Amino acid sequence: MKRRNLLKKILLFIFALFLGNTVKKEDENMILRQIDSSLVKGKDGKDEIRVLTEKTVDLAEDVEARGVNIKHFGVAGDGVVDDTSKIQEAINYCVINKKELLLENKTYLIKGSGITIPSDNLTIRGNKIGNTTIKVLDMDADSSIFTLSSVRNIKFENIIFDGNKDPNVKHAINCSGNNVDKNLNISYCKFVNFIRSNNRTIYVWQARDIWIKSNKFVDCVRPIFLDSPNDNVYVESNIIISPSSIMVNGIQCNSASGGIRSVYIAGNTIDGAKVDVEGNGRDGHAIRIFQSRGVKILGNTTKNCAISGILIGIASFDSVANGNISFGNKSGIYVELDGNDTTIGEDAQRGAIVSNNTIFNNDQGIAISYSAASIVQSNIVHDNQGRGIVCDSDKVNIINNIVYNNYKDTNKPNAAQFYTKAGIEVYGKESIISNNICFDNQSIKTQLHGIAVNNDSHIVTGNMLKDNAKGGLHQISGGTNNSIANNIE
């Protein structure tokens, strides 16, 4: 026994020196002390290590300084025994004592009405390299796993939320803010199997300072739902997929009337919003914006959706879709700001901006409908089954786009307004169609004209229209268009 203890002490001493520690015996315990040392000249002329500073490293105290392990509250963590009350107890303790709650690499079962976060300042953190899972079973109707009502500074990280196909659970995280600063951060989490028909997996209402970042959603009906968000809401770098085709909208932002809000939807990948609930095109979008002015939709990839990759919907004036990639949808990007009045864009604050997007292999590429004074600029639109860019609105600027090889589906009918199939089709009034490049380089050409416009005071200038099946520019005879300096081959 003495020999074994001696060997352990020698190994500990070597390990400690390697890491820059000293070893000290206090009672029966071996304590590691962190050292900061330098070589100095000793009295006997030999180099010796002089300890300039030392700090005791007590691993238990270090962990407790930043958080409390859930195991201290008697949870089972086996995914079978109900851990709801124990987790609630742990959360109550942590908010009072200003500690993080640390979850282990286990499965915690939640039942009933779920968990309420009662006060500000709480981080719930899972095991970064493990599979920390919160699973639900037999939840109350319309319940939430976590409810946050008017509390601030809450963070969830590295947790798997498993809805377990429970038909009762409505939200994984339900956050209401009453227009106060929330500082809610949900990051590096995974949400799976939230199937209730009115599910809103992450639901944020009237709150600002929200970060939903780098999460993954699998088979959730409405993964992210922002309801009347205020300022500084960031939805970034999430992956949203639905292999079971139950998704209605990937990211949805609804607001009431009001000023421009700082909402950023950026760098997300959304695949497979297949469900149009009422069959009227309101749902089935990767990203759906409704009555939300000034939303920035930046650098997302949207694909394989029933209706649109991106819908900028009613009253979402001043919103921007920039740098997105959209394919495999009915429409790549669809803008419809007002259901009745095409001239509402005469107000300088109206319209939307669609720029620098790559749109291909959709039923149609970019559609601007009832959205006057919008800007469609510098997009690449190609190989769609029907139209490349279509606009029925007034005073729209369509400039510097590259549009080619559209109407891939030869069974698509000619546009009724023009009796032709063109890369860009415009039939509002007083629009500017300028410096676009429209061509068809296929062996069997499907894009009959580069541009087709009605004659109603449009300016068509500086466009390069080449190798389309029947011609570069198609205009209805008569009217007041000004077509100048186009390069037609």
Side-chain angles (χ1 to χ4, degrees):
M1 179 65 71
K2 291 183 178 180
R3 182 178 300 174
R4 182 182 300 172
N5 289 336
L6 177 62
L7 179 59
K8 288 170 63 177
K9 291 177 181 179
I10 292 172
L11 291 174
L12 180 60
F13 181 77
I14 294 171
F15 177 73
L17 287 180
F18 178 74
L19 295 178
N21 295 273
T22 60
V23 180
K24 180 178 180 180
K25 183 173 182 180
E26 293 183 3
D27 298 327
E28 297 302 319
N29 300 313
M30 301 302 295
I31 304 297
L32 293 180
R33 292 182 182 272
Q34 187 73 33
I35 65 171
D36 181 8
S37 59
S38 61
L39 290 173
V40 296
K41 199 74 172 178
K43 293 181 180 180
D44 57 357
K46 295 182 179 180
D47 287 340
E48 64 181 5
I49 297 178
R50 180 180 178 182
V51 177
L52 301 179
T53 61
E54 68 177 22
K55 177 182 178 182
T56 301
V57 178
D58 186 322
L59 296 179
E61 286 185 3
D62 181 61
V63 170
E64 289 297 322
R66 66 185 180 88
V68 175
N69 194 309
I70 190 72
K71 68 182 180 181
H72 298 310
F73 294 86
V75 294
D78 60 2
V80 177
V81 176
D82 184 359
D83 288 321
T84 308
S85 61
K86 300 296 185 182
I87 295 175
Q88 185 70 68
E89 180 185 347
I91 286 173
N92 294 345
Y93 175 88
C94 287
V95 295
I96 292 172
N97 292 279
K98 296 180 172 58
K99 301 286 188 181
E100 290 186 11
L101 180 59
L102 306 177
L103 307 182
E104 296 186 302
N105 187 16
K106 294 184 177 182
T107 298
Y108 305 94
L109 187 65
I110 303 294
K111 289 187 172 184
S113 59
I115 302 291
T116 298
I117 296 181
S119 187
D120 300 346
N121 305 315
L122 175 68
T123 293
I124 303 177
R125 195 186 306 274
N127 189 317
K128 187 174 183 180
I129 60 174
N131 292 303
T132 302
T133 302
I134 294 176
K135 185 174 76 170
V136 300
L137 182 67
D138 297 332
M139 295 288 283
D140 295 345
D142 285 329
S143 57
S144 304
I145 301 178
F146 286 96
T147 300
L148 295 63
S149 181
S150 299
V151 295
R152 299 176 170 129
N153 302 323
I154 308 299
K155 183 174 185 178
F156 297 90
E157 186 174 287
N158 296 319
I159 301 170
I160 299 171
F161 293 83
D162 185 359
N164 199 27
K165 298 184 178 180
D166 189 318
N168 292 319
V169 63
K170 187 173 181 179
H171 310 113
I173 298 172
N174 179 8
C175 170
S176 60
N178 296 323
N179 292 314
V180 299
D181 298 330
K182 293 297 293 183
N183 194 19
L184 170 65
N185 190 314
I186 305 169
S187 55
Y188 305 106
C189 294
K190 184 177 180 180
F191 299 83
V192 298
N193 296 325
F194 288 87
I195 67 165
R196 184 177 174 85
S197 61
N198 66 345
N199 165 256
R200 300 169 179 181
T201 309
I202 294 178
Y203 179 69
V204 176
W205 180 70
Q206 287 191 347
R208 57 177 174 257
D209 296 331
I210 306 293
W211 286 265
I212 302 171
K213 182 178 180 180
S214 300
N215 304 286
K216 187 172 183 179
F217 300 80
V218 181
D219 282 335
C220 303
V221 172
R222 291 178 179 86
I224 300 174
F225 197 110
L226 309 175
D227 195 350
S228 300
N230 213 300
D231 288 330
N232 301 325
V233 176
Y234 301 87
V235 180
E236 299 178 335
S237 303
N238 300 283
I239 297 173
I240 303 175
I241 62 175
S242 183
S244 298
S245 299
I246 65 170
M247 189 187 343
V248 173
N249 299 305
I251 299 170
Q252 184 166 339
C253 181
N254 289 8
S255 295
S257 59
I260 294 177
R261 305 300 186 191
S262 298
V263 176
Y264 298 86
I265 300 171
N268 304 282
T269 298
I270 306 162
D271 183 355
K274 298 288 190 182
V275 181
D276 181 13
V277 176
E278 298 177 1
N280 57 9
R282 292 188 55 158
D283 298 311
H285 312 281
I287 299 172
R288 178 192 174 200
I289 309 302
F290 179 76
Q291 291 186 337
S292 302
R293 290 185 60 188
V295 175
K296 306 297 187 295
I297 306 167
L298 312 172
N300 303 280
T301 298
T302 61
K303 54 185 177 178
N304 302 323
C305 296
I307 305 299
S308 299
I310 297 170
L311 171 66
I312 301 177
I314 300 299
S316 297
F317 305 110
D318 308 298
S319 292
V320 176
N322 183 80
N324 303 283
I325 299 172
S326 188
F327 60 93
N329 312 288
K330 185 174 181 180
S331 295
I333 298 177
Y334 198 100
V335 182
E336 184 173 1
L337 300 181
D338 187 276
N340 298 304
D341 187 1
T342 60
T343 63
I344 195 167
E346 292 178 6
D347 181 346
Q349 294 181 338
R350 305 294 183 171
I353 298 174
V354 178
S355 59
N356 298 297
N357 302 285
T358 300
I359 311 295
F360 63 97
N361 198 29
N362 302 280
D363 197 47
Q364 65 180 1
I366 297 173
I368 309 296
S369 182
Y370 300 107
S371 302
S374 292
I375 297 172
V376 182
Q377 180 175 0
S378 301
N379 301 284
I380 299 174
V381 184
H382 68 95
D383 291 288
N384 294 285
Q385 302 304 304
R387 300 155 162 170
I389 298 173
V390 58
C391 172
D392 67 6
S393 306
D394 301 344
K395 299 183 179 179
V396 174
N397 287 346
I398 302 174
I399 54 179
N400 296 323
N401 300 283
I402 299 174
V403 183
Y404 64 95
N405 297 355
N406 294 289
Y407 278 102
K408 298 284 286 187
D409 183 352
T410 57
N411 292 319
K412 289 285 184 184
N414 291 346
Q417 294 80 5
F418 310 114
Y419 307 104
T420 190
K421 300 175 182 179
I424 299 175
E425 299 174 0
V426 180
Y427 48 96
K429 64 181 180 181
E430 300 178 16
S431 290
I432 297 174
I433 304 101
S434 172
N435 295 304
N436 301 284
I437 299 173
C438 302
F439 63 91
D440 190 326
N441 62 4
Q442 304 171 96
S443 58
I444 300 176
K445 298 182 185 301
T446 58
Q447 189 168 285
L448 303 185
H449 287 88
I451 296 174
V453 293
N454 64 336
N455 260 309
D456 205 342
S457 302
H458 301 300
I459 297 174
V460 184
T461 183
N463 300 284
M464 178 175 287
L465 311 174
K466 182 178 180 181
D467 293 334
N468 297 282
K470 291 188 176 181
L473 178 61
H474 176 81
Q475 300 182 82
I476 296 176
S477 60
T480 56
N481 287 348
N482 185 4
S483 299
I484 56 174
N486 296 290
N487 186 348
I488 301 174
E489 298 181 16

